[in-house]
Amino acid sequence: MRRRLRLGAVLGGALFGLAVVTPVASAQVGTGPWNPWSPGYSEQERGCGQISGLTFQLTCSTGSGDQRAERRYDTYTGGTHQFEGSFKITSMSGTRISVKQTFRDGSNAGPYFLLAVEKGGRMYAVEGGQTLAGGATVGTSVRVNTINQVGSTHKVYINGSLKQTIDSPSGSYYDKFGSYRTSSGAGPITVQWSGVKFWTK
């Protein structure tokens, strides 16, 4: 009986120790501590854009007009905000489609950072045309993180690697993702997103 009690005490202590050292889930990039955030969102379907859950399609090859299928998240002002999500292009016969955006809101509303993909897998920043990475080919999952420290910097990570740092003016911002035809782009394209998370600090 004593042996069983001792064994139970040892196992219980081991389990207790495991519970104590189990790490808390956190953002995959950037220096914390991070606090989870659950912003609300609205959906935008324009032109030939179609949304089904986390699948975003442009079904036409139209090279003009407003062609989009996107989620637009709540506006924030000040602080540091991180977005994380993975996208996978399941079909693409078009090119130059924006998949993730950080937009300015309020009196300076408009595009600020747009991550776009070309047929062949090149990922680039629409503003300025800087190549950020390759590998966004059909069937390949790509993880995107953006960290916007309002009034300081906006950082873009692709698959965990820092690819761009630009100035972040003071003001209000919001995140968007999906499929959006750039001024020089056209569909069709189907993009699936997964693992979408937000943090603040």
Side-chain angles (χ1 to χ4, degrees):
M1 179 66 70
R2 289 179 182 174
R3 186 175 181 181
R4 289 180 179 176
L5 288 173
R6 285 198 298 271
L7 181 60
V10 169
L11 289 173
L15 290 172
F16 176 76
L18 286 174
V20 169
V21 300
T22 299
V24 176
S26 60
Q28 295 199 42
V29 301
T31 303
W34 294 98
N35 301 307
W37 182 43
S38 299
Y41 66 86
S42 58
E43 295 185 337
Q44 301 175 334
E45 294 178 324
R46 298 182 186 173
C48 63
Q50 295 182 6
I51 301 172
S52 177
L54 286 173
T55 298
F56 302 83
Q57 290 182 291
L58 299 181
T59 61
C60 63
S61 59
T62 303
S64 62
D66 193 357
Q67 314 296 332
R68 71 173 69 183
E70 296 179 305
R71 274 194 184 185
R72 180 215 191 277
Y73 282 84
D74 289 345
T75 297
Y76 58 84
T77 302
T80 302
H81 294 256
Q82 179 171 176
F83 163 90
E84 177 179 290
S86 296
F87 73 89
K88 179 170 64 176
I89 299 170
T90 59
S91 66
M92 183 179 190
S93 54
T95 191
R96 303 182 70 82
I97 303 297
S98 178
V99 292
K100 164 65 175 75
Q101 304 175 36
T102 306
F103 247 68
R104 297 194 71 184
D105 205 357
S107 59
N108 294 310
Y112 165 65
F113 167 76
L114 289 81
L115 172 66
V117 296
E118 287 182 337
K119 191 174 183 180
R122 173 180 175 253
M123 289 173 272
Y124 67 98
V126 174
E127 299 295 320
Q130 177 188 350
T131 297
L132 301 183
T137 53
V138 173
T140 301
S141 182
V142 177
R143 179 161 57 89
V144 179
N145 293 72
T146 57
I147 299 178
N148 189 14
Q149 184 177 354
V150 179
S152 179
T153 59
H154 180 277
K155 297 182 178 182
V156 181
Y157 296 78
I158 303 294
N159 291 327
S161 297
L162 179 62
K163 298 299 183 180
Q164 184 192 60
T165 301
I166 57 176
D167 291 338
S168 174
S170 299
S172 299
Y173 295 83
Y174 58 88
D175 291 294
K176 299 171 75 175
F177 65 83
S179 297
Y180 173 77
R181 187 192 72 81
T182 67
S183 60
S184 58
I189 188 172
T190 300
V191 180
Q192 293 178 346
W193 279 87
S194 62
V196 177
K197 302 173 185 177
F198 297 85
W199 295 272
T200 64
K201 69 173 182 176

